[in-house]
Amino acid sequence: MTATAPVPRFLVEPKAVIVEAVATADPALLATVVATAVERVADTRAKRRRLAQALAADPALLTSGRPEGPRLIELLVRELLPYGPTRLVLPRCAGCGRQNVLDRVDGLRRICSPCANKAADRGRQSCAVCGRVRQVAGRDPDGRPRCGRHRPEPVDGHAAVRRLLERAGTGLDEDELAAVVTEVLPRPAQQQAVLRELTGRPDLLSGQGAHGSPRMVALITALAGRGARNVTVPACPFCRRIVSLRFGRDGARCCRRCYEQPRHQPCSSCGTSSPVMTRTPDGEPLCAPCARRDPVNHEPCTRCGRVALTYRDATGRPVCGRCQRPPVAVCSLCRVSKPCHYADTDAPRCANCTRSNNRTACSNCGRHRIVHARAADGGPLCSNCSRRRELCSACSTVRPVYARTTDGRALCKICYPKDPISFRHCTACGSLERLHHHGLCPACAAQHQLRTLLAGPDGQVHPRHEPIAAALLAGPPSSFLLWLRHPSSQELVVRLCESTEPLTHAALDAMRPLKAVSHLRAALSAHGVLPRRDEHLAAFERWLPETVAAIGDPDERALIRSFATWFHLNKLRRRSRRRPLTYGQFQTARGDVRAAIRLLAWLREHGSSLASCTQADIDRWLTSDQPGRLLVRNFLIWSARRGHCRPLAVPGRRSSRGQGALADAHLRWSISRRLLHDTALATGDRVAGCLVLLYGQSVSRITHLTTEHVHDDGRTVHLSLGARPLEVPDPLAGLVRELVRTRRGYGALGHTDDHRWLFPGVRAGRPISAQRQAARLYELGIKTRAGRSTALLELAAELPASVLSDLLGISIRTATGWSQEAGNTRPSYAAEVSRRATRAARSFGEVRKQSQDG
């Protein structure tokens, strides 16, 4: 249909056209009664359109009784007769004139079955026995007609077909053959027809079955499925493919592709030669893609309200393709309960697994990808190559079409979210926003999906699962839906629902995959469903038994277990009571244990042991190529104190204070100026970078800052890094205010905006990890260790150690070390003055005592 051609009303509003025609013909009928009758008689849009088109062309068909038009007119009148119409008349048979059921056609007129049978009798044939022209009562085994007086002898077609199959050497026993014939040829007429075919052409079983009837093809397919010998499934006689032969062409059975090939016509819309899907009101052909895109064939979906090409669900209501979900079953590949194709078979398959397994080389670009569509010649096309590129009506750029407006204008993926058409009313809550699926907004969709997974056999959510649902739905719905779309996340929620044990950290520790479990644990802990715990301590407690169990020697296993437990684990637990452990502390403890395991294995390989090793053995170890050689120092000191070995010397780590500082002092200030004034950077990265470069803060301390560390009285901003609040000057003070106001977490589950962290992370209720924050700063050109060393050297050169300790939150010993490294003589001068005063007081006391004695 051309863009300028007027759209007939019977195509757009067929039901309204029918109701108006009936109301005009018989005003006594109520419009609601007529509408209900139309829904019953014309239960599809195609039927309503045919009925509306006929009544729009000739409304008198309802009252004249003429046997013309579609049979739907007769069915509609019969449906309305119980409601007492005064002017509607049933159509009369064109042959006998009676108001019978007109289920037959004679040209353009409708007739009843008796008249159709009489018309068939006019073509009587001569009997093969008596030669008289009479009505055919049957046929002999050769297919010749017989009259009623010379009926053919009754033949057991079932047994005859079985005997022919036995002679063909199928190898199946009598019971199997009987079952096949009964299943494929249940009617005697079918058995007689197949019997005549097999008698005339025995080669149908050996590969020529495409020249037989549909029942013959079905019989051959059933025999081959049971492993019959001397039986060949027929191929399409035109393309030679072994496919279903459901169509006929040139006197033979063929596949759909070969059946449609000679029937291709140029599409009146796009011009491509393809099978005719439908026709315009003018009779012009339309291909399948153009028919689907034609707005005339679109109607509102009863679930989401979107105007699109619709299908009929089990209740007969129109639903769009997005809302037409297949039945729920357990996918045979991913083993997850979700909507699956072939749900009624032994191998159901979900949409994701179907797409993933349908990979082949694209006929356009040659890349091995998922088949998204097919070209005109049947070649596979990937997603990029199959997308239709048109001029976007909003940005005037030729891009792949992402959506279309109600009048058919194309929209690209960038312009569609900006167009008002992308906003619709949610069918559940009524809010106007971009819907997620099935007519639901993200919030309603998230709640519906989660409660569907948590529901029990009775369809209700158990009260013990309500806190879990509340915690998972507390965050942004879009983030939760993104997390839930992964099959592993869905399986995790289902396992929580099926478990009857109380929900604990130990129960989550036994679940996989770890990434999905970590997000779930964080959300449950943030909302009080689970108690909070130190994850680094828990990770070490999980890692230690597995590592110790892998040690083969029992004595070494006991020694490593004792060292790791009493030296490291106890220390980590004490530190965890004060504040959560850092990733560096966790790594340090794990590195020491691994180094101890490697040392014991190395001593055993060299014919020694920890109890008998000497300093020479340790020196050879220190000069070997073993990784982490110096990390055994804590282990050897601990072992010597407990009598497991003699005292052995291992050099400690040298202080790296001041090493790695920025060689160019101006580089620090240039990066700082960029952080303070470049608005294109993220506010969190700007504040974190300034705290490293200007105040010498470590990344692990920065990530644990909360809103309680910021004190803003409206005029000045103070930041509590140490015992004394530090006044933050502008413009950094403005950045801190902006960070407090705009900070937001990125948690997939359970994230809320009332968190206390200045630098929230991807897990609910937790800050960003030090490694991730350091990586973000490295992308900005900031090496955190070098930047921090440079800042501390400059600050230590100007401030006393005590002031540095109070403002920056470092220990007095560390502050003194940085002051000495920076060459600040004031701390040593104060110490010397203190020593002088002590010596003077001591000397004065001695002199006074001598004078008293004298």
Side-chain angles (χ1 to χ4, degrees):
M1 182 183 296
T2 60
T4 58
V7 180
R9 188 163 176 259
F10 68 81
L11 290 178
V12 182
E13 299 175 339
K15 185 177 179 180
V17 172
I18 299 171
V19 173
E20 292 174 3
V22 175
T24 303
D26 197 335
L29 292 173
L30 297 177
T32 56
V33 173
V34 178
T36 304
V38 172
E39 289 290 342
R40 294 175 181 173
V41 172
D43 54 349
T44 64
R45 184 174 55 186
K47 292 181 180 181
R48 290 195 293 270
R49 285 181 173 179
R50 288 200 303 270
L51 181 57
Q53 184 178 11
L55 294 180
D58 190 359
L61 292 174
L62 293 170
T63 57
S64 63
R66 298 198 310 268
E68 300 172 3
R71 191 178 177 229
L72 293 169
I73 296 176
E74 176 201 348
L75 297 178
L76 178 61
V77 175
R78 291 187 182 277
E79 187 71 25
L80 293 174
L81 285 179
Y83 298 97
T86 59
R87 300 179 59 184
L88 298 185
V89 178
L90 280 173
R92 299 181 181 275
C93 175
C96 62
R98 291 178 292 183
Q99 292 178 330
N100 292 337
V101 176
L102 308 183
D103 55 353
R104 303 292 181 90
V105 178
D106 183 11
L108 298 178
R109 302 184 306 170
R110 306 202 67 81
I111 58 176
C112 60
S113 296
C115 294
N117 294 334
K118 290 179 181 179
D121 291 344
R122 298 191 187 101
R124 295 180 295 179
Q125 300 180 17
S126 60
C127 177
V129 178
C130 64
R132 295 180 181 180
V133 178
R134 293 185 175 182
Q135 184 178 355
V136 178
R139 294 182 182 274
D140 59 14
D142 297 329
R144 295 178 301 175
R146 295 283 189 94
C147 64
R149 293 184 179 181
H150 303 90
R151 295 178 181 273
E153 294 293 334
V155 178
D156 188 358
H158 195 285
V161 172
R162 292 202 313 269
R163 286 194 295 270
L164 287 178
L165 295 178
E166 290 176 356
R167 293 179 198 152
T170 58
L172 301 179
D173 56 27
E174 186 176 353
D175 294 338
E176 289 181 312
L177 289 176
V180 171
V181 174
T182 303
E183 177 185 357
V184 180
L185 308 173
R187 299 179 181 178
Q190 296 173 343
Q191 299 167 6
Q192 296 291 342
V194 171
L195 179 61
R196 288 194 296 269
E197 288 185 88
L198 288 176
T199 304
R201 292 196 59 177
D203 60 341
L204 293 177
L205 295 174
S206 58
Q208 299 299 319
H211 299 281
S213 64
R215 288 292 95 191
M216 176 59 68
V217 176
L219 177 63
I220 295 173
T221 305
L223 291 172
R226 290 180 176 262
R229 298 193 302 267
N230 301 326
V231 175
T232 304
V233 177
C236 177
F238 303 98
C239 65
R240 310 309 304 173
R241 294 186 304 151
I242 305 295
V243 292
S244 178
L245 307 181
R246 298 185 295 114
F247 301 90
R249 172 185 169 187
D250 299 338
R253 309 301 302 172
C254 66
C255 63
R256 185 185 184 94
R257 182 193 301 179
C258 297
Y259 172 78
E260 297 287 358
Q261 188 173 3
R263 291 168 173 77
H264 286 195
Q265 295 183 18
C267 177
S268 60
S269 178
C270 63
T272 59
S273 180
S274 59
V276 178
M277 174 70 176
T278 185
R279 294 184 180 272
T280 66
D282 301 332
E284 298 295 331
L286 283 177
C287 64
C290 293
R292 286 193 292 265
R293 287 196 298 266
D294 192 349
V296 175
N297 297 323
H298 296 177
E299 61 180 331
C301 175
T302 55
R303 296 184 184 177
C304 65
R306 188 170 65 99
V307 179
L309 186 69
T310 59
Y311 309 89
R312 299 287 164 172
D313 60 5
T315 61
R317 297 180 302 172
V319 294
C320 64
R322 297 179 182 176
C323 299
Q324 190 185 31
R325 303 182 67 189
V328 177
V330 178
C331 178
S332 59
L333 298 180
C334 64
R335 296 297 179 184
V336 178
S337 179
K338 58 172 64 174
C340 293
H341 304 290
Y342 316 110
D344 55 346
T345 65
D346 296 335
R349 186 173 295 180
C350 65
N352 291 339
C353 295
T354 301
R355 286 193 297 267
S356 300
N357 285 271
N358 189 24
R359 291 177 179 269
T360 186
C362 176
S363 60
N364 186 34
C365 63
R367 288 178 291 186
H368 197 78
R369 289 191 171 184
I370 297 175
V371 178
H372 192 265
R374 293 194 176 271
D377 58 352
L381 294 174
C382 65
S383 177
N384 293 337
C385 297
S386 64
R387 290 183 178 176
R388 187 184 182 98
R389 300 179 69 89
E390 294 183 13
L391 186 70
C392 178
S393 59
C395 63
S396 301
T397 306
V398 178
R399 288 177 175 170
V401 178
Y402 187 76
R404 293 184 183 273
T405 60
T406 53
D407 54 355
R409 293 183 292 110
L411 290 174
C412 65
K413 189 175 183 179
I414 299 176
C415 298
Y416 173 72
K418 305 174 186 177
D419 195 275
I421 194 177
S422 64
F423 290 82
R424 297 183 181 88
H425 289 281
C426 176
T427 57
C429 65
S431 60
L432 182 64
E433 56 181 306
R434 281 193 292 273
L435 304 182
H436 179 71
H437 67 175
H438 306 314
L440 300 177
C441 64
C444 296
Q447 185 174 6
H448 178 265
Q449 290 195 18
L450 179 61
R451 292 192 173 274
T452 301
L453 292 174
L454 291 177
D458 56 351
Q460 301 296 325
V461 179
H462 197 276
R464 69 171 178 270
H465 297 144
E466 289 291 347
I468 301 177
L472 298 182
L473 295 174
S478 56
S479 299
F480 170 74
L481 290 171
L482 186 63
W483 178 81
L484 194 63
R485 67 185 296 182
H486 296 283
S488 58
S489 302
Q490 297 181 14
E491 185 177 2
L492 183 60
V493 175
V494 172
R495 290 177 61 187
L496 284 179
C497 173
E498 295 175 350
S499 177
T500 58
E501 299 295 329
L503 183 60
T504 60
H505 283 290
L508 290 181
D509 289 338
M511 294 183 180
R512 296 293 184 274
L514 296 179
K515 186 175 182 180
V517 172
S518 63
H519 284 287
L520 178 62
R521 188 197 308 276
L524 298 179
S525 299
H527 293 275
V529 181
L530 286 176
R532 294 183 180 271
R533 74 172 186 179
D534 193 327
E535 290 302 322
H536 289 308
L537 177 61
F540 186 81
E541 291 175 341
R542 290 196 306 270
W543 172 84
L544 183 58
E546 298 175 359
T547 304
V548 171
I551 302 175
D553 188 271
D555 296 334
E556 295 179 4
R557 188 187 311 126
L559 184 61
I560 294 297
R561 181 186 296 110
S562 180
F563 165 68
T565 301
W566 299 109
F567 184 83
H568 278 298
L569 187 57
N570 270 358
K571 186 187 298 184
L572 293 178
R573 286 172 176 171
R574 289 195 302 269
R575 290 177 174 176
S576 179
R577 296 190 191 103
R578 296 191 299 269
R579 65 179 65 90
L581 298 178
T582 64
Y583 182 74
Q585 293 170 334
F586 165 70
Q587 283 288 78
T588 299
R590 193 162 60 172
D592 283 0
V593 175
R594 286 174 172 170
I597 295 174
R598 287 194 297 269
L599 174 63
L600 295 180
W602 184 86
L603 291 174
R604 186 175 64 255
E605 292 175 358
H606 288 77
S608 182
S609 64
L610 182 64
S612 61
C613 74
T614 61
Q615 185 63 45
D617 296 328
I618 299 301
D619 293 340
R620 285 197 302 272
W621 158 265
L622 295 175
T623 57
S624 65
D625 57 352
Q626 293 290 330
R629 297 181 297 276
L630 296 179
L631 299 181
V632 300
R633 186 171 187 272
N634 289 331
F635 174 66
L636 292 179
I637 293 176
W638 177 86
S639 300
R641 289 176 178 175
R642 282 154 181 78
H644 299 298
C645 66
R646 66 188 70 182
L648 300 169
V650 176
R653 295 181 181 179
R654 295 183 180 180
S655 174
S656 60
R657 187 181 296 118
Q659 298 180 8
L662 296 176
D664 186 2
H666 298 287
L667 178 61
R668 169 173 169 253
W669 293 110
S670 63
I671 297 177
S672 300
R673 282 192 294 270
R674 181 194 173 197
L675 295 175
L676 292 173
H677 302 290
D678 190 352
T679 57
L681 303 178
T683 305
D685 294 341
R686 296 168 69 184
V687 174
C690 289
L691 292 178
V692 172
L693 297 177
L694 301 180
Y695 296 100
Q697 295 296 300
S698 64
V699 180
S700 60
R701 292 199 60 195
I702 292 174
T703 56
H704 282 80
L705 292 177
T706 65
T707 54
E708 290 135 4
H709 292 87
V710 180
H711 309 280
D712 185 8
D713 57 5
R715 293 177 301 173
T716 59
V717 175
H718 289 79
L719 190 61
S720 297
L721 300 177
R724 186 187 309 175
L726 174 68
E727 181 178 350
V728 181
D730 286 326
L732 181 57
L735 292 178
V736 174
R737 288 193 182 100
E738 182 181 355
L739 179 62
V740 173
R741 185 178 64 256
T742 62
R743 62 198 166 84
R744 58 179 297 267
Y746 302 93
L749 293 178
H751 165 69
T752 56
D753 294 333
D754 57 352
H755 58 84
R756 62 191 186 97
W757 302 107
L758 280 182
F759 302 90
V762 297
R763 291 179 175 83
R766 298 179 190 173
I768 188 173
S769 64
Q771 304 93 305
R772 179 56 187 159
Q773 186 61 66
R776 292 176 64 93
L777 295 180
Y778 185 81
E779 294 174 359
L780 301 179
I782 302 174
K783 297 180 179 179
T784 54
R785 186 170 186 178
R788 179 171 183 261
S789 299
T790 305
L792 287 176
L793 283 175
E794 294 193 12
L795 291 174
E798 300 175 0
L799 299 175
S802 59
V803 176
L804 197 67
S805 174
D806 290 342
L807 292 179
L808 302 186
I810 58 179
S811 66
I812 186 63
R813 179 178 178 181
T814 304
T816 303
W818 279 106
S819 297
Q820 294 174 355
E821 187 70 29
N824 189 348
T825 58
R826 281 177 291 184
S828 58
Y829 174 77
E832 180 63 24
V833 170
S834 175
R835 284 193 294 271
R836 289 179 185 175
T838 303
R839 286 197 299 269
R842 187 182 300 111
S843 301
F844 176 76
E846 292 176 354
V847 172
R848 184 177 181 180
K849 183 178 180 180
Q850 291 176 0
S851 62
Q852 290 177 355
D853 293 341

